[in-house]
Amino acid sequence: MPASARTPPGVGGAERPGGGDDARHTGRAGRIGLRVLALGYLALLLGAPLLMIFYRTFEHGLAPVWSAITAPNAVHAFWLSIELAAIAVAFNTVFGIGMAILLERHRFPGRALVGVLIDLPFALSPVVIGLALVLVYGQTGWFGGWLAEHGVRVIFSVPGMVLATAFVSLPFVARETIPVLRELGTDAEQAAATLGASAWQTFWRITLPGIRWGVVYGVVLTTARALGEFGAVSVVSGRIEGQTQTLPLYVQDRFENFDLTGAYTAAVALALLALATLLAMTLLGRRTVARSGGGTGGADAEQAPPPQSQLGNPAQAVG
């Protein structure tokens, strides 16, 4: 080709000398800037307040902290929060697994409506949920009078707090289990049924092993939501010290009564519970990725079911 016919540098799409390096430097600078922006936002929104709470808690030494954390009302609030979370998690785990199987394995009129109702706690304010429970189970509510006549008190007592906690944490197990069931498919379950396994045997030996990590992940999310619930529980509990006061309510009570050490100490206890939950979520997510084959990473890998070799053997379901 004649020299005059050659395309000069920078004309007709030909790359100029150094143009690729400029593009790489620009892309790298953009990525670094985005990371700095994201980390700075998290530091201002989460890191700085959390560090300030820890600083205010321990600025006068360990003695005031120990005195605050061993106060009878603080101990009662802590164990009441654990009790409410344990009951709500147990109920919602059974309910969530059942609803996940119902919605994913069956087709029936009103199926979409049931799915919407399960997600209702995501849309409603917790305060509205608490008020609704008062209107239904209060002494002037639909069932409150009848329950009171039979010696059952729901509002301003532990049963009402359990209902409120269970309501706000209702969707997590179901919503974490449904995608796993969808990816799992029905081949192994149908094979077990063909070999003569009952529905109960198929569930325990085929379905449950396949969805167990989705269930566990949902349980962790439910626990975190139940431990930190404030709005709905605040409405139905009555905030009675030493009786119906959970740890979040205790934090507010101590702060309003100018007991800053007690408020900060209880807040640190809640923060440690939240960090433990976050650690459990991270470890479970990594283990789920590893058991699903690993290597792909991301949210899709975390939702993927275990390989077929790790599921129950359909032949064992009838054993």
Side-chain angles (χ1 to χ4, degrees):
M1 178 182 296
S4 59
R6 297 175 184 174
T7 304
V11 179
E15 185 178 339
R16 293 176 297 178
D21 293 338
D22 292 341
R24 284 192 294 270
H25 289 316
T26 302
R28 182 179 180 185
R31 289 193 298 269
I32 293 176
L34 184 61
R35 292 172 185 173
V36 170
L37 180 63
L39 293 176
Y41 179 77
L42 289 176
L44 291 175
L45 188 66
L46 300 176
L50 192 60
L51 289 176
M52 183 57 67
I53 289 177
F54 275 87
Y55 171 73
R56 291 295 187 183
T57 302
F58 296 101
E59 66 176 338
H60 299 298
L62 293 177
V65 175
W66 180 254
S67 177
I69 204 171
T70 55
N73 287 341
V75 174
H76 182 273
F78 176 83
W79 287 113
L80 181 59
S81 297
I82 298 296
E83 178 184 350
L84 293 178
I87 297 173
V89 167
F91 286 163
N92 285 340
T93 299
V94 176
F95 174 82
I97 294 174
M99 292 307 299
I101 294 176
L102 178 66
L103 292 176
E104 186 57 34
R105 292 290 189 259
H106 302 278
R107 299 293 182 269
F108 55 91
R111 176 173 171 270
L113 178 61
V114 173
V116 171
L117 292 177
I118 291 177
D119 292 335
L120 191 61
F122 287 146
L124 285 179
S125 167
V127 175
V128 175
I129 293 173
L131 180 60
L133 291 175
V134 171
L135 293 176
V136 174
Y137 296 104
Q139 290 191 358
T140 59
W142 292 350
F143 307 119
W146 182 85
L147 291 173
E149 293 176 358
H150 292 78
V152 178
R153 185 180 181 183
V154 177
I155 303 302
F156 305 140
S157 62
V158 173
M161 300 170 70
V162 170
L163 286 176
T165 305
F167 194 104
V168 298
S169 58
L170 181 71
F172 293 103
V173 173
R175 285 307 171 193
E176 291 297 325
T177 304
I178 287 175
V180 181
L181 267 175
R182 185 177 300 120
E183 293 295 330
L184 187 64
T186 60
D187 292 343
E189 295 173 358
Q190 292 175 356
T194 302
L195 293 173
S198 65
W200 195 246
Q201 289 174 319
T202 301
F203 171 76
W204 279 108
R205 300 192 180 187
I206 302 298
T207 307
L208 188 59
I211 64 175
R212 61 185 182 276
W213 294 116
V215 172
V216 171
Y217 197 70
V219 166
V220 173
L221 294 176
T222 304
T223 302
R225 185 68 180 87
L227 286 173
E229 173 52 31
F230 178 86
V233 172
S234 176
V235 174
V236 303
S237 67
R239 309 184 190 183
I240 305 173
E241 290 188 8
Q243 296 183 33
T244 61
Q245 195 175 63
T246 60
L247 204 53
L249 298 180
Y250 181 79
V251 172
Q252 183 193 36
D253 177 73
R254 291 298 87 202
F255 189 79
E256 291 178 346
N257 286 277
F258 304 101
D259 180 10
L260 298 184
T261 301
Y264 291 144
T265 302
V268 165
L270 279 174
L272 292 176
L273 289 174
L275 290 174
T277 303
L278 179 62
L279 178 62
M281 289 173 57
T282 302
L283 294 177
L284 287 172
R286 291 178 178 177
R287 189 168 184 181
T288 303
V289 172
R291 286 180 172 267
S292 62
T296 57
D300 293 339
E302 292 185 5
Q303 292 292 345
Q308 186 66 31
S309 60
Q310 296 180 13
L311 302 178
N313 189 335
Q316 294 176 353
V318 297

